[in-house]
Amino acid sequence: MSGKRPARILGAFEHPGRNLPGRTLQDLTLEIAHGAIADAGLVPDDVEALFATGGYGVHEMLGLRNVRHLDTTELGGASYISHAGRAARDIREGRYSVALIVMAGLPRQGLWFPFRPSPHEAYRNAHGTTLVGEYALVARRHMYEHGSTSEDLAQIKVASSYHASFNPNALLPRVVTVEEVLDSPWIADPLHRLDCCVTTDGGGAIVVVADEIARASARSAPAILAQAEAFSHASNGVYDLTRSLAARSGPRALAEAGIGIRDIDYASLYDSFTITLLLNLEGLGFFEPGAGSALLREGELKAPYGRIPVNTDGGGLSNTHPDYRGGMVRMIEAVRQLRGEANAGVQIPDAELAVVHGSGFSMGTGATGSTAVLQRVDE
Amino acid sequence: MSTPTDAGPTPSPALPYPDVAVDAESERFWSELGRGRVVLPWCVRCDAQVWPPAARCRACADLVTGERPLPGTGRIHTFSVVHRPAQGFPAPYVLAYVELDGGPVVMANIVDSDLGRVEIGGDVEFVAAAESVPRGAFRFRVV
């Protein structure tokens, strides 16, 4: 990478809605994009690069006139973390200075942008697979290999609900107990209903800019120090169900940032299910596989004073998982923590370094993983 | 705890054989499975299965000319009792990965078995459809 300073996240906007009847994808995407552009103190004509999972045509929806780089890479829920990394590298190389990354969806209204099915689809559909069922296969294998328990998973939901109780926009703001998680109905044994993330409308966007633009602004703009990604698939029928792709992308991102996992103040980790978050914690190296039980029981995921504060907005488990995709909101909560703008009660004092990890598609069949490292910049 | 699902027989009625999308590369696999035979395309050069079925080996890009029937035995790699079903499936049912002897790990269902005996590492055998179907599915019972 060139000698220029790292790119920065100057704008971030999470739509406050969770159920939005009567809205269209175009209308919602526009509102979200403008929310992030306004937060950056910029105007739409400043946007030179657009990253969106909606495919070709989102620039038309947004009416953007000065876009000269368009990236519609589809990596499922991890997309936006990879988009941020790609934008950050381009900007650091001087290819353009302002990038908008946007996502939106209305699954509660039956509306979302289309995407390509996997070539493996027939082999899954013949057996009545479901996304929860696939993560249940992962969870049971993890219990077998590493001795994790349903209570360990429930503790993850408990911590998320605690964080959500400080978030006025959270879909599920009520604190739950381990017993409530274990008593909630099976969706796919060993995963209960409360092991699953929420389904919400909404979305979010961020604006990534060159360092000199951030310096000219009064707005706090964390730097994107590094980003790396990894992919898995089931071709030839080989699976490693219990190891998150974070074990591959995480070390590369941390090395590029020049830090270790112990330096991280805040972690924004994909939590489509409780097992997703457990595997991401292990994959990034916060603890060895199967060794997190005591730490989870002792509430160490809870901000502001836990050893590993995770998903302080309540995450996908309790706050929002718009369009079945969690990566953007994970990114935005990391920006809030580094700006000192997290909800009162969960702001980590003096948070400087954050790791964000997204897990797209299905850990039970084939997945995408993307890790970013962000740092507060004191001007 | 929610009601345990680790006792009693795997539920009836029998699971459906969905009309999944089939193309020229996969037609033979599906129809053989529907006739009760597990037959995989085999790359002669790599001496390895091509999974999922494809016209060309993903490792060496040679055209696939061989095939190999498997005994249809294997072991449970992991499983879940699915209570919120996929469309057209009668819940609850057992979704699993099975390690096929001499072949890949495949997504499957465990049927016809006492749920208390469904466990990781347990031996299973292929269960053919009662009558030939256009597209089969990987259904196994605990042995």
Side-chain angles (χ1 to χ4, degrees):
Chain A
M1 206 170 274
S2 78
K4 292 184 73 173
R5 291 171 183 274
R8 313 267 293 271
I9 303 173
L10 184 60
F13 177 77
E14 178 194 335
H15 198 282
R18 301 293 179 260
N19 184 29
L20 300 166
R23 301 292 299 268
T24 67
L25 290 172
Q26 175 166 265
D27 156 43
L28 182 64
T29 307
L30 257 170
E31 184 189 359
I32 288 169
H34 281 243
I37 293 166
D39 185 61
L42 299 174
V43 297
D45 277 354
D46 291 326
V47 175
E48 298 166 303
L50 176 66
F51 293 74
T53 42
Y56 178 79
V58 175
H59 65 301
E60 293 176 306
M61 261 186 191
L62 296 175
L64 293 171
R65 296 184 296 188
N66 294 331
V67 168
R68 53 196 170 92
H69 179 99
L70 180 60
D71 185 329
T72 60
T73 302
E74 172 62 271
L75 302 178
S79 301
Y80 319 100
I81 298 159
S82 289
H83 291 176
R86 290 159 194 217
R89 288 188 288 275
D90 281 354
I91 287 171
R92 207 168 172 182
E93 286 178 6
R95 292 174 181 274
Y96 48 81
S97 298
V98 177
L100 170 67
I101 303 165
V102 62
M103 62 83 58
L106 294 159
R108 294 173 80 119
Q109 322 306 326
L111 294 173
W112 54 82
F113 291 100
F115 70 95
R116 268 177 90 81
S118 156
H120 287 257
E121 201 158 87
Y123 305 89
R124 297 171 191 158
N125 291 346
H127 305 105
T129 193
T130 65
L131 188 64
V132 192
E134 290 174 9
Y135 276 84
L137 297 175
V138 171
R140 189 176 312 276
R141 186 72 197 180
H142 193 274
M143 291 171 173
Y144 173 81
E145 285 182 15
H146 299 300
S148 56
T149 65
S150 288
E151 189 189 341
D152 294 342
L153 297 181
Q155 292 287 5
I156 287 170
K157 170 69 179 187
V158 169
S160 101
S161 72
Y162 171 80
H163 290 149
S165 72
F166 296 90
N167 182 352
N169 293 327
L171 187 77
L172 303 177
R174 190 178 65 79
V175 177
V176 302
T177 64
V178 167
E179 291 68 31
E180 280 178 85
V181 178
L182 299 182
D183 285 342
S184 67
W186 295 119
I187 302 298
D189 172 2
L191 296 181
H192 307 78
R193 184 161 70 200
L194 294 187
D195 286 299
C196 304
C197 68
V198 299
T199 296
T200 48
D201 296 336
I206 57 174
V207 177
V208 182
V209 302
D211 180 71
E212 55 271 22
I213 294 177
R215 280 175 189 277
S217 165
R219 194 90 176 92
S220 168
I224 300 172
L225 292 188
Q227 180 268 332
E229 56 205 41
F231 306 94
S232 68
H233 61 70
S235 290
N236 255 10
V238 177
Y239 293 86
D240 187 358
L241 294 176
T242 60
R243 188 163 176 260
S244 164
L245 290 169
R248 284 154 54 186
S249 61
R252 282 191 274 121
L254 290 165
E256 187 187 337
I259 64 166
I261 198 68
R262 303 281 162 232
D263 299 321
I264 293 295
D265 300 305
Y266 167 71
S268 242
L269 307 183
Y270 214 86
D271 60 344
S272 47
F273 303 95
T274 50
I275 185 68
T276 318
L277 179 48
L278 179 61
L279 261 59
N280 284 334
L281 284 163
E282 293 177 349
L284 287 172
F286 283 109
F287 45 79
E288 289 297 307
S293 201
L295 197 141
L296 296 170
R297 196 167 52 244
E298 286 154 18
E300 297 288 2
L301 303 187
K302 290 182 189 170
Y305 303 115
R307 279 168 51 201
I308 314 168
V310 172
N311 296 351
T312 42
D313 59 321
L317 289 168
S318 301
N319 173 27
T320 188
H321 195 74
D323 200 31
Y324 310 112
R325 296 159 175 272
M328 177 60 81
V329 181
R330 294 304 90 234
M331 201 75 179
I332 292 172
E333 181 64 5
V335 171
R336 290 196 197 100
Q337 279 289 351
L338 299 182
R339 281 175 162 177
E341 295 178 359
N343 290 306
V346 295
Q347 175 65 50
I348 297 153
D350 204 30
E352 184 196 345
L353 286 163
V355 65
V356 184
H357 182 80
S359 307
F361 298 102
S362 171
M363 287 179 169
T365 51
T368 62
S370 188
T371 310
V373 179
L374 309 185
Q375 183 175 34
R376 189 187 72 214
V377 178
D378 300 317
E379 316 275 5
Chain B
M1 289 288 288
S2 300
T3 312
T5 52
D6 59 354
T10 51
S12 50
L15 297 180
Y17 289 90
D19 187 22
V20 295
V22 166
D23 59 21
E25 294 185 288
S26 61
E27 201 285 329
R28 179 162 169 83
F29 164 77
W30 285 110
S31 58
E32 284 297 295
L33 199 64
R35 292 186 195 103
R37 295 191 286 261
V38 181
V39 180
L40 299 186
W42 207 265
C43 174
V44 174
R45 183 195 263 186
C46 297
D47 191 26
Q49 78 254 4
V50 179
W51 181 259
R56 245 173 229 285
C57 172
R58 293 183 183 84
C60 73
D62 259 16
L63 284 170
V64 175
T65 54
E67 65 176 28
R68 185 169 289 188
L70 297 185
T73 55
R75 270 154 312 285
I76 297 174
H77 184 71
T78 183
F79 69 97
S80 168
V81 183
V82 178
H83 292 259
R84 184 174 293 178
Q87 197 173 11
F89 276 68
Y93 56 95
V94 179
L95 180 70
Y97 277 125
V98 167
E99 304 162 7
L100 281 177
D101 289 331
V105 177
V106 294
M107 189 171 276
N109 303 112
I110 309 300
V111 297
D112 231 1
S113 306
D114 184 338
L115 269 180
R117 294 186 59 219
V118 177
E119 57 185 17
I120 293 177
D123 290 329
V124 294
E125 65 182 13
F126 181 66
V127 180
E131 292 173 19
S132 179
V133 291
R135 300 162 178 28
F138 278 124
R139 305 271 148 76
F140 295 87
R141 75 164 69 86
V142 173
V143 293

